[in-house]
Amino acid sequence: MPSETPAPLEITPALLVGFEPERILSESTMTGSTFIFGTLAGQQAIIHVQKTVMVGKDAEDALKLLENVKLLLENAPYYSAHVWTKADPSNPDYIVKIICPATADHIKKYSIQERYVVRETAEVYEQLVRPYIEEMSISKIGWVFEILEGRKEAERVYYRSEGDDGFVILPDLKWDETTENALYLTCLVQDRSIKSLRDLKPSHIPLLKNIREKAAAEANRRFGVDAGKLRLFVHYHPTYYHFHVHIVHIRHDNLFGQVAGQAHLLDDLISLLELSPADGPSLLARKSFTYTLGVEHRLFPLMLKAGAVLGSPITITDAEAKAEPISATPVNPAVSTPSLGAAEPATDLEVPEAKRPRI
């Protein structure tokens, strides 16, 4: 049965001009992007504004469209200048991504927050994390099912197969779908029983190998990217608990989601499953995982009580207070919570450092 999803907005210049910004949630000078919280069409919203990437021939062509030059530095042989170009319909200036309505979870995710290292044992997972995942409303990932069932984004899908061993490959929203070196695809599996890499078993090895093969084939067929130029990895914890694989060009500059402890190479997962016993829990189910967790993540107070947070000076009371919704508007449990990328941005574990001024 289809999950409840918010009514779609008609994204027009007039709608975006009416956005009422309240504060900057986070920003990155590395990626030239900013997450802004405010009100859009009478609803809480987050708008992500990012300069488009310019490489290769686009950069060459831009020099032919110069309209004005302001010299900043002249110290031969070195020069620096600000330049303005004529409008070019083939090359947009910005990429804008929108979450509307935005829930408290969205706001926390894209806000700067204190982080601590957490060591999650198999026991902590079974006692705390698994119940946390299983208690989540299915509506939070309704947008994933919309894609898997072909009701949304069907025209963007590069590859689709059905059944429990099937999956869908499509471009991640973090990619502009043109810059080869920034290639970023996402693979969503059809099997809804796999919430995270903890649920993987040796019986899933053929599925994972097929994902690896098809991802390489699509990247090569569509964009001429060789398999040796791709990095396939899985997040733990993920942004959303439906198993998916990130497929990224190795020259991609945004490494926030590829840090140790958070990103686990698909090849390594396959290897661990091959070493796992055919019967009983896999090595992925039995091993401990060490990663960083933000204090506003809903898991943080649970981990703190369990003693899984390493060297934390924060008190349980403080953590519980920080874990409360930071929005004055009640969270609507029927609203799904996709990220700004994959529909998947940065995960809860990968928000870049930034200031948080008001605007």
Side-chain angles (χ1 to χ4, degrees), residues 16 31 34 36-37 43 63 70 132 135 164 189 241 270 283 319 358-359:
L16 295 179
T31 61
T34 301
I36 311 169
F37 171 71
Q43 303 179 90
L63 295 175
K70 179 181 179 181
Y132 163 82
E135 289 170 6
D164 284 347
V189 301
Y241 292 94
I270 292 172
L283 292 179
R358 294 186 66 85
I359 57 174

Side-chain angles (χ1 to χ4, degrees), residues 321-335:
K322 290 177 181 293
E324 289 299 313
I326 61 176
S327 165
T329 303
V331 176
N332 179 359
V335 175

Side-chain angles (χ1 to χ4, degrees), residues 1-8 43 99-106 135-146 298 329-338:
M1 186 173 180
S3 303
E4 291 185 62
T5 54
Q43 303 179 90
I99 295 179
C100 183
T103 67
D105 284 342
H106 288 129
E135 289 170 6
M136 282 188 174
S137 170
I138 197 72
S139 64
K140 283 184 173 290
I141 53 173
W143 64 276
V144 173
F145 302 151
E146 294 286 315
R298 294 181 187 276
T329 303
V331 176
N332 179 359
V335 175
S336 59
T337 56

Side-chain angles (χ1 to χ4, degrees), residues 283-359:
L283 292 179
L284 292 172
R286 293 158 51 197
K287 76 183 294 290
S288 295
F289 285 92
T290 302
Y291 49 82
T292 61
L293 197 63
V295 297
E296 291 183 349
H297 193 290
R298 294 181 187 276
L299 265 178
F300 190 83
L302 300 177
M303 293 298 199
L304 195 59
K305 287 181 179 179
V309 179
L310 306 187
S312 170
I314 194 171
T315 66
I316 292 176
T317 301
D318 289 342
E320 289 174 336
K322 290 177 181 293
E324 289 299 313
I326 61 176
S327 165
T329 303
V331 176
N332 179 359
V335 175
S336 59
T337 56
S339 79
L340 285 176
E344 178 181 75
T347 74
D348 286 321
L349 312 179
E350 62 179 68
V351 180
E353 292 185 3
K355 298 178 182 178
R356 205 192 313 189
R358 294 186 66 85
I359 57 174

Side-chain angles (χ1 to χ4, degrees), residues 125-188:
Y125 173 77
E126 288 296 335
Q127 294 171 15
L128 299 177
V129 180
R130 183 190 289 277
Y132 163 82
I133 296 172
E134 291 178 347
E135 289 170 6
M136 282 188 174
S137 170
I138 197 72
S139 64
K140 283 184 173 290
I141 53 173
W143 64 276
V144 173
F145 302 151
E146 294 286 315
I147 294 173
L148 291 175
E149 294 168 13
R151 291 192 296 271
K152 294 287 186 179
E153 304 187 42
E155 71 285 353
R156 301 180 67 243
V157 170
Y158 291 163
Y159 176 87
R160 177 187 297 276
S161 56
E162 305 297 338
D164 284 347
D165 58 350
F167 50 88
V168 169
I169 297 175
L170 72 165
D172 191 289
L173 290 184
K174 291 189 286 294
W175 184 38
D176 60 13
E177 299 187 40
T178 57
T179 309
E180 178 186 307
N181 293 347
L183 181 141
Y184 202 131
L185 311 178
T186 298
C187 174
L188 304 168

